[in-house]
Amino acid sequence: MSTATSGPTTKRPTIILAAVCVAVLILPASLTGSSVALPDIASGLHAGLVPLQWVVNAYNLAFASFMLACGSLADIVGRRRMFTVGTAVFALASLASGLSGNVLLLDVLRGVAGFGAAAVMTSGCAILATTFQGAALGRAFAILGSSAGAGLALGPSVSGLLVGTLGWRWVFFAHAVVTAVVLLALPAIPESRSSEGARVDWWGTITFTASLFLLMLGVVQGPQIGWASAEVIAMFAGAVLLIALFVVAESRQAHPMFDLALFRQSRFLAVCLLPVAIAFGFVCLLVLLPSWFSGANGDSADAAGATMMLLTLPVLVVPLGVNVLVKRGMSTRAVLSLSLLLVALGGAWLTVLHPGISTWQLAGPLLLIGIGMGFSAGMIDGVAVTSVAPERAGMAAGMFNTMRLAGEAVAITVMSTVMVSLLQSRVAQGLHGYGRPSSDAAGLANRVASGDLAGAAHSTTPELRDRFSGFLADSYTGAMHSVLWLLAAICAVATVVVYLMLREPQDATTDSPTVEDSATQETTVV
């Protein structure tokens, strides 16, 4: 990577790594933290399900979509400058989100925060790629991956505590404070930029962003206006057309920011597919479970956050044990495949949940899923970077994070929609027993899925309220069971696919490090 630098001539790698990792830690925490706050946001801002979903979707969509453009801009205007702008935008948007009095304004501000997050992630990765070399680069990205995993892990519990004690607005205020503190480390980061005439890939950015937006919009609107409606079909058709144009645009670039040729390397493709599968089996639960806990199980926000710690805390602890296993000879292929398998088994086991279930009864499956996530959390970023030639490390990091974030955005949107669709179907089948028309199913399902089961049950007569509440809770749980089986199946299939793709050909020769070789570079994750 050719760079021109200005500013301090002496790098302070420890301070630089700490600043980037703290900034990156808060980005996934903003996703999972806002998910825990959704029921209280719905109540406080009188929000319906669709605009409420966009509190999460707008952030994820902007985060994934602007990775390419922000990466290009960082090379042109300077990586430290882009990191500064991204951190400031994220902090200000989070502050304004906490002050918002309207859910639509909150959705817009979450999209702005997503843009800031994309700038922080891409410029942060580029800063690390120019600060560290060789084995140190693999370790730096492994620590960065652990920070992102820690953000996912801590987001639900910390946010649940904040919501339960200070209110949902403090979730966003806390994010603003942490990112503002990161700005204090900027003097230690030297400026750098590309000296190779980098340009913003506008065609790629526009087609990718628009395709992802139409896909997510179509998935969200499907249960509301009908899957066979002309509008939804047009959204999906537009998404397919635009992604095809994106592929064409990238294939014709002399220096594409999203080099599709890297996907011909089966190991790199496998590493990119793994977090997409994990997004279904782990990240989706960070969004779906808090609403079920507060709705069907009647838990408070802080109680739901405490229960979620069983799912998330292993992500902080397990990488330490994985380091020991790798040092003793366990292959990266085995570690990453086992990660998916454990998540699949945990998802299937989690179908034991039912209204009134205790935290201890959920401990086994939640811990197993968290352990599975922990197996890959500390090494997946390092493996992605070291599975290609060193001079392509920055591009590999950008592509990997784009795939991961796009996968999370699509997975959360798809599975949230599947939940609502299944819930609508179950509610519609039983409404006649309560003297309600089946046309009420959509509205009731939306309220239940947003965590407002009490409000949905209150819409019936007082003498039927308790029974109706139980019916809604059972319907919600049945839909959750179906979703869990689907998530488990996705991870089980992905286990086989990733295991086969990580297999090293007997006669393979390459100048880039192999996945097995890279395992030794991630042994100091924490």
Side-chain angles (χ1 to χ4, degrees), residues 125-153:
C125 287
I127 288 170
L128 294 187
T130 57
T131 302
F132 300 92
Q133 293 81 37
L137 178 64
R139 289 194 294 269
F141 273 97
I143 295 171
L144 185 72
S146 295
S147 300
L152 281 173

Side-chain angles (χ1 to χ4, degrees), residues 5 18 24 30 63 68 111 146 155 157 243 248 345 404 411 454 498 503:
T5 62
V24 168
S30 186
F63 197 172
L68 297 176
S146 295
S157 53
I243 202 64
V248 172
L345 294 174
R404 171 161 59 188
V498 167
R503 181 175 55 192

Side-chain angles (χ1 to χ4, degrees), residues 266-267 270 333 337 496-506 508 515-516:
S266 64
R267 290 171 287 132
R333 179 191 187 194
S337 302
V496 178
V497 173
V498 167
Y499 184 79
L500 293 176
M501 292 181 69
L502 288 177
R503 181 175 55 192
E504 290 292 335
Q506 294 296 322
V515 172
E516 303 304 330

Side-chain angles (χ1 to χ4, degrees), residues 200-496:
V200 178
D201 183 6
W202 290 116
W203 277 110
T205 300
I206 291 171
T207 52
F208 182 81
T209 303
S211 174
L212 197 57
F213 175 77
L214 286 179
L215 175 61
M216 293 175 67
L217 185 61
V219 170
V220 169
Q221 291 296 113
Q224 311 301 323
I225 63 178
W227 291 105
S229 65
E231 294 93 333
V232 172
I233 292 174
M235 291 173 192
F236 287 143
V240 172
L241 175 61
L242 285 166
I243 202 64
L245 292 175
F246 168 75
V247 172
V248 172
E250 294 305 289
S251 64
R252 294 185 176 182
Q253 293 272 5
H255 302 286
M257 285 303 300
F258 203 97
D259 188 357
L260 299 174
L262 282 180
F263 287 142
R264 295 173 191 160
Q265 299 182 28
S266 64
R267 290 171 287 132
F268 180 73
L269 179 57
V271 172
C272 287
L273 289 177
L274 187 143
V276 175
I278 288 286
F280 280 94
F282 178 82
V283 180
C284 281
L285 296 182
L286 299 178
V287 176
L288 297 177
L289 283 180
S291 292
W292 186 88
F293 287 142
S294 61
N297 218 40
D299 296 337
S300 62
D302 49 349
T307 303
M308 292 294 290
M309 291 177 68
L310 292 169
L311 179 67
T312 57
L313 284 183
V315 181
L316 302 177
V317 179
V318 170
L320 292 170
V322 173
N323 289 338
V324 175
L325 293 176
V326 171
K327 287 180 179 179
R328 292 182 177 179
M330 187 173 186
S331 69
T332 305
R333 179 191 187 194
V335 170
L336 297 183
S337 302
L338 184 59
S339 172
L340 283 169
L341 180 60
L342 292 176
V343 172
L345 294 174
W349 187 4
L350 191 55
T351 56
V352 299
L353 60 76
H354 59 268
I357 193 170
S358 69
T359 300
W360 295 114
Q361 290 173 291
L362 290 169
L366 291 178
L367 286 171
L368 186 61
I369 296 171
I371 290 170
M373 176 65 183
F375 260 73
S376 62
M379 74 163 48
I380 186 67
D381 291 76
V383 174
V385 172
T386 56
S387 64
V388 301
E391 63 270 16
R392 312 192 83 183
M395 177 181 288
M399 291 178 65
F400 169 74
N401 281 302
T402 299
M403 286 290 293
R404 171 161 59 188
L405 292 166
E408 289 178 0
V410 172
I412 291 170
T413 306
V414 168
M415 298 317 300
S416 297
T417 300
V418 169
M419 169 69 76
V420 174
S421 296
L422 292 170
L423 187 51
Q424 281 185 10
S425 176
R426 289 175 176 272
V427 170
Q429 292 174 10
L431 277 183
H432 66 278
Y434 297 91
R436 302 285 293 272
S438 58
S439 57
D440 289 351
L444 287 169
N446 287 348
R447 296 191 70 174
V448 172
S450 66
D452 186 20
L453 189 144
H458 196 75
S459 63
T460 192
T461 59
E463 57 271 16
L464 292 176
R465 193 162 296 156
D466 288 343
R467 213 176 103 217
F468 191 55
S469 178
F471 159 70
L472 292 177
D474 289 339
S475 298
Y476 195 0
T477 304
M480 179 65 80
H481 285 172
S482 298
V483 167
L484 289 170
W485 283 117
L486 180 56
L487 299 181
I490 290 171
C491 289
V493 172
T495 300
V496 178

Side-chain angles (χ1 to χ4, degrees), residues 22 26 87 90-92 94-95 170-184:
V22 170
I26 207 66
T87 304
F90 183 88
L92 291 172
S94 297
L95 176 63
W170 280 92
V171 172
F172 302 111
F173 291 154
H175 300 160
V177 170
V178 173
T179 46
V181 171
V182 171
L183 294 173
L184 298 176

Side-chain angles (χ1 to χ4, degrees), residues 16-92:
I16 293 172
L17 180 60
V20 172
C21 287
V22 170
V24 168
L25 180 147
I26 207 66
L27 305 183
S30 186
L31 166 67
T32 57
S34 61
S35 301
V36 173
L38 288 181
D40 286 73
I41 293 174
S43 176
L45 299 182
H46 308 289
L49 178 67
V50 173
L52 189 67
Q53 284 181 305
W54 283 99
V55 173
V56 173
N57 292 341
Y59 176 77
N60 244 358
L61 173 64
F63 197 172
S65 300
F66 286 106
M67 289 283 287
L68 297 176
C70 287
S72 300
L73 284 171
D75 286 339
I76 296 169
V77 305
R79 287 142 190 163
R80 183 180 67 176
R81 184 173 289 118
M82 197 67 182
F83 185 77
T84 305
V85 170
T87 304
V89 167
F90 183 88
L92 291 172

